[in-house]
Amino acid sequence: MKKTKIAAALMLFALSLGITGCTSVQADDLTKGISRGQVEGKAADSDFIGANMSFSLELFKNVQKEKPQDNVLVSPLSVTAALAMTANGADGETLSQTEELLGGNISLEQLNGYLYGCLDSFKSGDGFKLNIANSVWIKNDPNLTVEKDFLQKAVDYYDAQIYSENFDSKTLNAVNNWVKANTDGMIPKIIDKIDQDTVMYLINALAFDAEWEDIYMDYRVKKGTFTDINGKEQGVKMMGSDEYGYLEDENAVGFLKNYKGGKYSFAALLPSENITVNEYIQGLTAERLLKTLSEPQNCIVSAKMPKFSYDFGLSLKDTLISMGMTSAFDGTADFSKMAHYAGENIYVNDVIHKTFISVDEKGTKAGAATAVAINTESAAPINEPKIVILDRPFVYMIINNETNLPIFMGTVKSV
């Protein structure tokens, strides 16, 4: 049976400089002499799981605040991996704020170890594929000096590919083609042009390919109605199934549906009728969400959900600033462990996140892309089944079953 692409995520950092009139020259190939060294990975424990869920949920909440009417989709794993890879080039307050944002009391050194272990353990297995790729693209510019230790850590912990380019139209195509290839075509393009000030890109990409453990047979797909966030009824194709993981908290009910291989699941949560989906999300805590996902009731769930497909995108700059990552975006930024440009300071100019998802009878296709620009200062079964019908706005996640951490978090408010 043909497999269905399940998920892809991409995060891209564009490091830019506020200068003009520079002439690109051929620089040394910075991949020379950089081979992957032996580093120690750390298995996900309660400290990392708690910290990562806190970041994931706060990211999700803040994006919801910015786009309350939209179908939202973010990839916390992609954002975490790319921010952590970039943090290896930060120092001082810039590093401290990024560490606090991503890991709370977890140091960057520890976070590198956790992500090395997780990104490795999350990869492909029987019945599914999860491809995780990282790359660093560096402009051939005599004024730019990139720190070798930063590149070494990108290779050691994130298995990054290092490219040296002229940052012209050829590079534009190369970057977009790399993105397309490493997201199985789900993110065909991340950048429309390369600004003259851009000197580096850091990219994280994920592609997840799997089917439902139990696909929806034709007779289980019927016409139905979905009431959107504005109260408008929409005709949909509603997919029905019997699941065995019932989710419930004080304000929502839901279910788990496994993907083939049993390592990943689709988790859906339907808020109570007396609260909106946005109110439900803002009331969530990381502790409560982890408890809900990790303690499903072992009972039959008569579940229905609509086929849906949408894309989403926004700048994460204001979101990350509101979450405490302020220094990276202004003249106080310290990325001295990453690169230097003719004595000028560099800082994060913007963070762009783009996503796509499609859920149907065979599985799920999802993708995400994030771009960051950095500039200078210039239980037992029961007889009666539970019933969960996703016929109004709901929250969903694609989660890793070993850690209950979300690879993707989204909402369906309209179909």
Side-chain angles (χ1 to χ4, degrees):
M1 185 175 291
K2 183 180 179 181
K3 291 198 295 182
T4 301
K5 290 170 184 155
I6 296 297
L10 176 83
M11 184 157 181
L12 181 149
F13 287 78
L15 286 77
S16 307
L17 292 170
I19 57 175
T20 59
C22 291
T23 302
S24 295
V25 299
Q26 186 65 40
D28 292 335
D29 183 354
L30 295 179
T31 62
K32 292 179 179 179
I34 302 177
S35 57
R36 196 173 193 186
Q38 294 292 324
V39 294
E40 184 177 350
K42 293 174 66 68
D45 56 19
S46 59
D47 290 338
F48 173 75
I49 291 172
N52 189 259
M53 180 60 87
S54 292
F55 170 74
S56 299
L57 184 56
E58 287 306 307
L59 176 70
F60 187 48
K61 283 184 174 183
N62 278 275
V63 171
Q64 289 288 337
K65 286 180 182 179
E66 291 190 42
K67 302 289 184 178
Q69 294 294 113
D70 293 0
N71 289 336
V72 165
L73 178 63
V74 297
S75 175
L77 179 61
S78 179
V79 176
T80 298
L83 283 178
M85 184 166 65
T86 303
N88 283 287
D91 204 1
E93 186 66 15
T94 304
L95 173 60
S96 298
Q97 289 182 357
T98 307
E99 286 179 323
E100 176 66 24
L101 177 70
L102 295 177
N105 295 323
I106 297 175
S107 69
L108 178 60
E109 182 178 359
Q110 292 173 311
L111 187 59
N112 282 332
Y114 281 124
L115 288 173
Y116 176 86
C118 282
L119 295 179
D120 184 65
S121 69
F122 281 11
K123 288 183 179 179
S124 303
D126 292 338
F128 73 94
K129 181 190 80 172
L130 177 61
N131 178 62
I132 302 171
N134 297 286
S135 63
V136 179
W137 302 71
I138 301 167
K139 185 177 183 179
N140 294 327
D141 190 319
N143 294 306
L144 178 67
T145 302
V146 180
E147 296 297 323
K148 298 291 186 180
D149 186 59
F150 167 74
L151 295 179
Q152 188 67 57
K153 287 183 177 178
V155 171
D156 289 349
Y157 287 100
Y158 300 92
D159 197 19
Q161 298 168 277
I162 313 296
Y163 298 99
S164 183
E165 290 279 340
N166 289 327
F167 278 36
D168 51 18
S169 59
K170 179 182 176 182
T171 306
L172 176 68
N173 291 332
V175 170
N176 285 329
N177 286 338
W178 188 94
V179 166
K180 184 176 180 179
N182 283 283
T183 58
D184 286 347
M186 285 178 274
I187 306 294
K189 183 169 65 173
I190 181 61
I191 51 176
D192 294 318
K193 65 178 182 177
I194 298 179
D195 291 337
Q196 62 182 359
D197 299 338
T198 303
V199 295
M200 190 183 298
Y201 291 110
L202 290 86
I203 308 175
N204 166 264
L206 293 85
F208 183 41
D209 185 342
E211 290 180 345
W212 298 122
E213 188 172 71
D214 295 306
I215 66 173
Y216 293 94
M217 304 303 291
D218 289 344
Y219 74 92
R220 300 301 301 268
V221 182
K222 300 179 179 180
K223 292 182 179 180
T225 301
F226 183 91
T227 303
D228 71 12
I229 193 168
N230 296 312
K232 180 181 178 181
E233 291 188 351
Q234 301 174 306
V236 297
K237 287 187 176 181
M238 197 69 76
M239 303 181 294
S241 63
D242 291 329
E243 307 299 338
Y244 296 91
Y246 177 68
L247 304 176
E248 184 177 27
D249 64 25
E250 59 267 38
N251 291 314
V253 296
F255 60 88
L256 294 173
K257 184 174 179 64
N258 277 344
Y259 293 110
K260 186 176 290 186
K263 196 168 185 176
Y264 292 89
S265 291
F266 182 94
L269 288 167
L270 180 69
S272 303
E273 293 191 28
N274 61 338
I275 63 172
T276 68
V277 67
N278 292 327
E279 290 171 340
Y280 173 71
I281 292 167
Q282 297 308 319
L284 278 174
T285 65
E287 294 78 11
R288 193 174 88 194
L289 183 56
L290 273 172
K291 180 179 174 63
T292 300
L293 295 173
S294 62
E295 298 179 359
Q297 296 180 34
N298 184 24
C299 61
I300 298 174
V301 187
S302 179
K304 292 182 180 180
M305 71 171 168
K307 293 175 60 174
F308 63 91
S309 177
Y310 66 88
D311 55 27
F312 177 76
L314 83 167
S315 167
L316 288 180
K317 178 178 178 178
D318 291 340
T319 296
L320 294 174
I321 289 174
S322 70
M323 294 171 68
M325 188 177 170
T326 58
S327 173
F329 292 95
D330 61 33
T332 67
D334 185 350
F335 287 102
S336 57
K337 290 184 176 181
M338 178 187 294
H340 301 272
Y341 192 95
E344 296 187 58
N345 197 38
I346 59 176
Y347 65 97
V348 177
N349 182 51
D350 203 0
V351 181
I352 306 300
H353 197 53
K354 297 180 180 179
T355 53
F356 168 82
I357 190 164
S358 177
V359 174
D360 61 21
E361 296 91 339
K362 290 185 177 181
T364 308
K365 294 182 181 181
T370 309
V372 180
I374 299 182
N375 288 22
T376 60
E377 188 171 5
S378 110
I382 59 176
N383 292 327
E384 291 295 326
K386 302 290 187 179
I387 298 175
V388 179
I389 302 175
L390 304 180
D391 58 358
R392 49 190 170 81
F394 62 92
V395 176
Y396 68 90
M397 288 160 279
I398 297 173
I399 64 171
N400 172 266
N401 289 335
E402 295 173 358
T403 61
N404 292 306
L405 291 176
I407 311 300
F408 288 89
M409 301 181 75
T411 53
V412 175
K413 301 171 186 173
S414 178
V415 293

